[in-house]
Every structure is written in structure tokens, then in C-alpha cells.
Amino acid sequence: MEPLIERFGSQANAYRAVLSAAQAALDEGRLNRTSRGHVDETLLNVDGIDVYTIGGLVRDGRLTSINASRRKVSDP
């Protein structure tokens, strides 16, 4: 996640950028969520950097947490 940390200046800022991009994807219907409120793996572009969501929790339509990776986790 170094490119994100470098781009946004800190881990906290990088996390907020990923969370914001994931929330936008959720709002636009590009982020799938399970019946239990978890999010599926999805490729996001965060300020020009590709990031895969690998987990997260949605409550009342808002992402409350997100886990991400620069590598794809699941195999096709």
C-alpha cells in the first residue's frame, strides 16, 4: 500500500481515500454487498492507483470499515 501512503501522506489519509472511493462505488452500485452486510472483492481506482477491496462492512448504507490490497486476492 506504499503508493497510497506516499500519495496521501499517511496511513490514515490513505485509508480514508480508499474508504471514500469504496463508498462512492457502493453508492453507484459497483461494489457488491452480501446479505450479511459485507462487501465482495472489487477493483477500485483510488486517485490513479488500483486497489482491491478484500472485505468491509456496510451498515445503513454506509461503509463503516474496509480492507484493501494492491493485489487481487481471489482466483478467477
Side-chain angles (χ1 to χ4, degrees):
M1 301 300 278
E2 279 301 314
L4 285 170
I5 294 168
E6 289 175 15
R7 169 94 28 103
F8 294 101
S10 70
Q11 286 181 325
N13 288 342
Y15 177 81
R16 284 190 284 275
V18 171
L19 186 62
S20 178
Q23 183 65 52
L26 179 67
D27 293 345
E28 296 166 3
R30 295 183 293 117
L31 189 62
N32 297 320
R33 103 180 154 176
T34 68
S35 61
R36 299 189 72 189
H38 296 97
V39 295
D40 289 336
E41 182 176 315
T42 303
L43 177 64
L44 299 175
N45 187 284
V46 181
D47 200 32
I49 300 170
D50 286 341
V51 176
Y52 289 92
T53 62
I54 56 173
L57 184 61
V58 179
R59 288 202 176 122
D60 298 323
R62 303 299 301 168
L63 276 164
T64 59
S65 65
I66 193 77
N67 295 320
S69 173
R70 294 264 297 131
R71 293 180 297 145
K72 186 170 182 157
V73 176
S74 66
D75 292 328

